[in-house]
Amino acid sequence: MPLIYIVEDDAAIRTELAQVLRRNGYETAACEVFDTVVDDIVAADPDLVLLDLTLPGTDGQFVCRDLRARSEVPIIVLTSRTTEIDEVMSMTMGADDFVPKPYSSRVLVARIQALLRRMSAVPERNVLSHNGLELDCSRSTASANGQQVELTKNEMRILSLLMRHAGTIVSREAIMRDLWDSDAFIDDNTLTVNINRLRNTLERIGVTGYLATHRGRGYSV
C-alpha cells in the first residue's frame, strides 16, 4: 500500500487529507513540527509527498528544493498560494505537480494515481560508460572499481548530461536548464551544492577527480 506523506500545518486540512487518502487505499504519515521536515520525510521513505508552501518557520519551496536534492520521491505541491510565480518556483525547485486549494478530492487522487503510475513505469535500460565509470540511467546507479552506488535524481541528471557530452565543457546554465527546466529563479549556489554532492557520492565507489571545474565556463568529464 503506497505511503503518502503530508506536509500541512493546518490540522483540519491535514486530517481531511489523511481521511481522503485512506479511503482511496493509501497509507498516510504527517509531520506536526517543521524544523526537521526534510529529515522526517527522508526517514519515513514515502512513495509521494503532499507539500503545502506556507509553513511555520520555513517555506515549502525551500523544503521542496532540499528534499529534491536528497530524494527522488514524487512531490505534489498543494497550496493556497496560486500565483504564477509560486507555481513556477515550485516546479523549478523540483515539484512534480502543483494543485491549488481549494482542491477537488477526486482530482487530487487522480493526480496522485497518475504520478505514481509514471514513477513506477520501467524505462528501457540506458547505460553510459566513460573513463571506467558506468552510469545506468534506468536504475540511477553508478558503477566503478567493482562497486555500485545509487544516485539521487539530480546527481543522475548532472552525470548523465556530462557523460553524454564527454570531452566538452557543459555550461552551468545548460546544467541548470536540464535540472530545473529553467536557468531563472535558481540560486547559483544550488548547482554548486549538487555538483559537490555528486563528487562525494562518486568518491564512495573510489572515483575521485572525475568532474572537472572550468571557472567561469562550466564542468566536464
Side-chain angles (χ1 to χ4, degrees):
M1 186 180 296
L3 173 64
I4 311 297
Y5 198 96
I6 302 168
V7 183
E8 167 62 64
D9 66 318
D10 187 307
I13 296 177
R14 192 165 62 236
T15 299
E16 177 187 277
L17 281 169
Q19 291 171 345
V20 167
L21 294 170
R22 288 168 188 159
R23 283 199 302 268
N24 284 274
Y26 298 104
E27 291 186 76
T28 65
C31 57
E32 297 183 4
V33 294
F34 300 91
D35 50 348
T36 59
V37 61
V38 174
D39 289 336
D40 294 340
I41 294 170
V42 171
D45 191 25
D47 296 282
L48 185 142
V49 174
L50 292 179
L51 175 63
D52 189 17
L53 293 184
T54 305
L55 300 171
T58 186
D59 188 282
Q61 289 169 351
F62 299 141
V63 172
C64 185
R65 178 197 63 193
D66 294 345
L67 179 59
R68 180 55 71 231
R70 296 176 57 183
S71 171
E72 296 178 39
V73 64
I75 302 170
I76 296 179
V77 169
L78 183 63
T79 182
S80 57
R81 283 168 43 184
T82 57
T83 66
E84 181 179 351
I85 189 65
D86 281 313
E87 183 169 2
V88 169
M89 284 290 289
S90 297
M91 303 304 284
T92 298
M93 293 297 185
D96 297 283
D97 202 352
F98 187 94
V99 177
K101 296 176 183 174
Y103 61 90
S104 159
S105 297
R106 289 183 178 180
V107 171
L108 177 61
V109 170
R111 295 279 190 97
I112 290 171
Q113 291 171 340
L115 183 51
L116 289 176
R117 277 197 305 271
R118 292 201 302 271
M119 296 301 293
S120 64
V122 179
E124 294 183 7
R125 195 162 187 259
N126 182 9
V127 178
L128 301 173
S129 296
H130 176 68
N131 281 355
L133 181 69
E134 182 176 279
L135 174 65
D136 188 330
C137 298
S138 61
R139 294 188 174 94
S140 200
T141 58
S143 304
N145 306 313
Q147 302 178 77
Q148 185 179 91
V149 67
E150 186 172 348
L151 305 176
T152 66
K153 179 181 176 181
N154 282 0
E155 288 172 344
M156 195 277 290
R157 293 179 80 168
I158 293 170
L159 188 55
S160 172
L161 181 64
L162 293 177
M163 291 180 73
R164 291 180 194 279
H165 295 84
T168 64
I169 298 172
V170 182
S171 70
R172 293 178 65 89
E173 292 76 16
I175 298 173
M176 287 191 285
R177 281 195 299 270
D178 189 73
L179 284 176
W180 296 289
D181 298 321
S182 171
D183 55 7
F185 310 115
I186 296 294
D187 180 351
D188 192 58
N189 187 56
T190 302
L191 177 59
T192 302
V193 169
N194 278 269
I195 291 286
N196 289 337
R197 284 175 175 159
L198 174 57
R199 285 180 168 136
N200 291 336
T201 298
L202 294 179
E203 285 177 2
R204 288 159 52 190
I205 55 173
V207 177
T208 59
Y210 191 78
L211 277 65
T213 299
H214 304 270
R215 291 193 176 278
R217 300 174 67 190
Y219 300 93
S220 68
V221 298

